[in-house]
Amino acid sequence: MSTVYLVGAGPGDPGLITVRARDLIERADVLVYDYLANKEFLAWAPDGCEKIYVGKKGGDHTLSQEGINELLVDKALEEEGRVIVRLKGGDPYVFGRGAEEAEELVESGVAFEVVPGVTSAVAGPTYAGIPITHRSFASSVTFVTGHEDPTKDESAHNWKALATSGSTLVFFMGVKNLPNIAASLMEHGMDPQTPAALVHWGTTCRQRSFVSSLDSIAEEAVALGYKAPSLIVVGEVCALKDELDWFEMKPLLGATVAVTRAREQASGLVEKLRELGACTLEFPTIAIQPLEDTSQAEAEIARVFEYQWLVFTSVNGVKQFFNVLDKMDLDARVLAQAKVAAIGPATAQALRCRGVRPDFVPEKYVAEHVVEGMKKLGVKGRRILIPRARVAREVLPEQLSEAGAEVTILPMYDTVLSGNDPEEMTGPLERGEVDYITFTSSSTVENFFTLVDPELLKKHRDGVRLAAIGPVTAETLASFGFTADLQPEDYTIPGLVDALLAAYSA
């Protein structure tokens, strides 16, 4: 029998999803997800997984709740032995209507499990610096749905009990009804000066929040443009926000940074940007493709003892070189007779991770500085092997040859145009959702403009800043008619991040 898993996706921060939830997504045959489930989770699903969006946003329902219930049953009965994941924002049973879905599954004889998730009622206020309980202010907390029709004859809530309980009150889905919620609490005895807060898109890079008083919060929410999804928190604990706020102190919070480097390389940059609070738009323009035929690489490695220098120009070159070594049942000991150069700290670190300490790392991480440094070490008459991409800048081998070295280029991989849908970038550009686009090589620039019309970027240029990792990449941008707004002095990923920090803080 197929099993339906009702899975809590947590409040939005990918780091707050449970290990069990991720495991199930990675095994899913069918993934049914809603509006509040982080889209990043979809990338964890295996190839061939059927992904079905059933989100509900501000009254706009892709599918009714009854329709969702029927869909889950139908998918479970279509075929035996499948994993059907129903991914729900927050926790399935905390105002998530997960119980209704479970009841439908029971009635239809479908096996199911429930995977709890971190509820936004706890996580959202926490990320906004508001503890929902505190020994000095509140010893209890009440979760309340704010999604009531204010025109109906009688509320389902006991407003007097809520107003006089002394509990912290957390209202879900209540922004539209905020004036009615505040008025009802005050009418039933709550002090109008009670601190109250709104937390919008809590735990995500889009989070913002503010604290007001109960009698003013509705008016301020309108003035500040707060909309769903936002939590309402009412209680003395809200007064602690200024003291305990931490997440909204992140220096890149609210900035959207597009990352164009290959997905295999992007993780470090994306992770650092997210740690600093940025929204990241992953739009890899290149893909790394190992060579199917490694016979040339194997032949050169078999006589690597004939070379005095090996020059690695990228992490990919290191990775593919050692993949071939492994295929040949060899290891780093074959490099014992040669000296090794690495362009850039990331390449050097990739070598160290494989037991090889580079003999030379240039101060500036471009080919010209490699040649200058190696000349001082003596390359005339030396045999040099450069494992690299099949197509790359020829400056390094040409200048080393001019310096008297005998240079052999060893193709290890291809950089090819990614299979990305251009809409993944053009859509956000058109909607004004991109603040920075980062380019980490000339090939990322060239492939970006193969996927995205340069005229579209020019149309939105006033709102988008372009960051190039170094002068060569900046020159390639210039060839398309664009000037790099940011360029670090240190041509590295950490240098690029520092340049973004400086620009955004300014």
Side-chain angles (χ1 to χ4, degrees):
M1 180 180 291
S2 293
T3 301
V4 175
Y5 296 87
L6 306 177
V7 176
D13 182 343
L16 296 182
I17 197 168
T18 65
V19 174
R20 174 66 169 160
R22 179 161 187 165
D23 174 64
L24 288 168
I25 294 170
E26 290 175 342
R27 295 194 285 119
D29 298 296
V30 180
L31 183 62
V32 181
Y33 65 101
D34 68 19
Y35 175 62
L36 294 179
N38 193 309
K39 301 301 185 294
E40 180 179 331
F41 302 151
L42 306 186
W44 299 344
D47 293 339
C49 175
E50 182 183 3
K51 301 170 187 175
I52 306 171
Y53 175 66
V54 294
K56 305 172 185 178
K57 177 184 177 183
D60 179 14
H61 293 192
T62 305
L63 201 62
S64 68
Q65 186 60 54
E66 292 73 20
I68 295 172
N69 297 348
E70 292 175 9
L71 174 67
L72 295 176
V73 172
D74 290 344
K75 289 299 174 183
L77 298 178
E78 264 181 15
E79 191 176 330
E80 293 183 351
R82 296 203 298 175
V83 172
I84 293 117
V85 173
R86 168 68 172 114
L87 194 62
K88 302 172 73 67
D91 179 274
Y93 281 1
V94 180
F95 299 120
R97 303 189 73 173
E100 297 171 45
E101 295 173 5
E103 288 173 318
E104 185 75 21
L105 294 168
V106 170
E107 187 175 327
S108 302
V110 174
F112 78 98
E113 292 184 21
V114 181
V115 179
V118 176
T119 176
S120 60
V122 174
T126 298
Y127 273 51
I130 301 171
I132 57 175
T133 64
H134 189 284
R135 187 172 182 179
S136 300
F137 300 110
S139 298
S140 60
V141 59
T142 304
F143 299 160
V144 190
T145 177
H147 191 56
E148 275 201 315
D149 184 352
T151 64
K152 70 182 183 180
D153 294 335
E154 189 175 345
S155 171
H157 302 321
N158 185 337
W159 287 105
K160 184 170 182 59
L162 293 174
T164 60
S165 66
S167 288
T168 300
L169 306 179
V170 182
F171 290 86
F172 289 71
M173 305 168 289
V175 176
K176 286 185 178 180
N177 285 339
L178 183 52
N180 181 61
I181 291 168
S184 296
L185 290 171
M186 289 185 289
E187 286 170 11
H188 289 83
M190 185 172 280
D191 184 346
Q193 293 304 304
T194 301
L198 273 181
V199 184
H200 178 66
W201 276 113
T203 79
T204 75
C205 58
R206 299 161 65 184
Q207 176 179 310
R208 60 182 182 132
S209 61
F210 76 98
V211 173
S212 181
S213 58
L214 186 60
D215 61 352
S216 301
I217 190 168
E219 184 179 342
E220 287 192 40
V222 172
L224 295 171
Y226 273 69
K227 298 179 180 179
S230 295
L231 283 172
I232 305 164
V233 188
V234 182
E236 296 298 330
V237 290
C238 296
L240 295 169
K241 175 176 170 57
D242 287 345
E243 179 184 351
L244 301 182
D245 199 352
W246 60 276
F247 185 71
E248 290 175 40
M249 299 294 104
K250 289 180 177 285
L252 288 179
L253 188 69
T256 298
V257 183
V259 177
T260 60
R261 69 190 326 216
R263 199 174 299 280
E264 298 91 337
Q265 299 172 294
S267 58
L269 174 57
V270 168
E271 182 179 341
K272 185 60 179 174
L273 291 171
R274 287 179 178 170
E275 285 177 2
L276 295 167
C279 301
T280 54
L281 173 59
E282 292 189 65
F283 186 69
T285 60
I286 61 175
I288 305 303
Q289 196 171 78
L291 300 184
E292 291 185 10
D293 182 3
T294 61
S295 58
Q296 181 184 354
E298 291 177 40
E300 292 300 336
I301 289 172
R303 54 175 177 266
V304 71
F305 57 87
E306 298 177 5
Y307 291 94
Q308 286 78 50
W309 278 96
L310 270 74
V311 180
F312 289 94
T313 60
S314 70
V315 172
N316 291 315
V318 174
K319 178 181 177 181
Q320 301 306 329
F321 183 88
F322 278 84
N323 282 348
V324 175
L325 270 187
D326 188 58
K327 181 181 177 182
M328 297 172 68
D329 202 25
L330 299 172
D331 58 31
R333 286 174 291 181
V334 302
L335 305 181
Q337 304 303 314
K339 290 187 176 182
V340 176
I343 299 184
T347 306
Q349 182 59 27
L351 286 164
R352 290 190 192 99
C353 288
R354 291 162 173 84
V356 178
R357 289 185 175 274
D359 299 282
F360 173 66
V361 181
E363 292 183 7
K364 295 287 186 179
Y365 312 124
V366 291
E368 292 80 353
H369 285 273
V370 178
V371 174
E372 184 180 331
M374 291 186 67
K375 279 182 179 179
K376 294 178 182 178
L377 295 172
V379 296
K380 187 174 183 179
R382 302 292 185 179
R383 297 194 65 191
I384 299 176
L385 183 66
I386 306 178
R388 62 166 215 188
R390 191 197 304 269
V391 178
R393 293 178 74 221
E394 299 300 330
V395 173
L396 178 60
E398 287 176 356
Q399 290 193 1
L400 285 172
S401 295
E402 289 172 5
E406 183 183 338
V407 180
T408 299
I409 295 171
L410 181 58
M412 299 300 307
Y413 61 95
D414 285 316
T415 54
V416 298
L417 184 67
S418 75
N420 266 22
D421 180 356
E423 173 61 25
E424 293 178 17
M425 176 56 69
T426 58
L429 277 175
E430 290 279 16
R431 294 189 296 271
E433 296 173 353
V434 182
D435 298 304
Y436 299 92
I437 303 176
T438 60
F439 297 99
T440 54
S441 66
S442 291
S443 56
T444 61
V445 176
E446 292 161 353
N447 287 6
F448 181 89
F449 290 115
T450 299
L451 296 167
V452 177
D453 186 347
E455 294 304 315
L456 175 64
L457 182 55
K458 288 177 183 177
K459 178 182 173 183
H460 299 281
R461 187 69 172 90
D462 289 345
V464 181
R465 305 189 75 186
L466 307 181
I469 199 168
V472 176
T473 305
E475 287 174 13
T476 309
L477 265 175
S479 71
F480 286 91
F482 296 94
T483 301
D485 301 293
L486 309 176
Q487 182 182 310
E489 294 182 9
D490 181 11
Y491 314 147
T492 64
I493 293 300
L496 185 63
V497 172
D498 287 343
L500 287 166
L501 277 169
Y504 193 60
S505 64

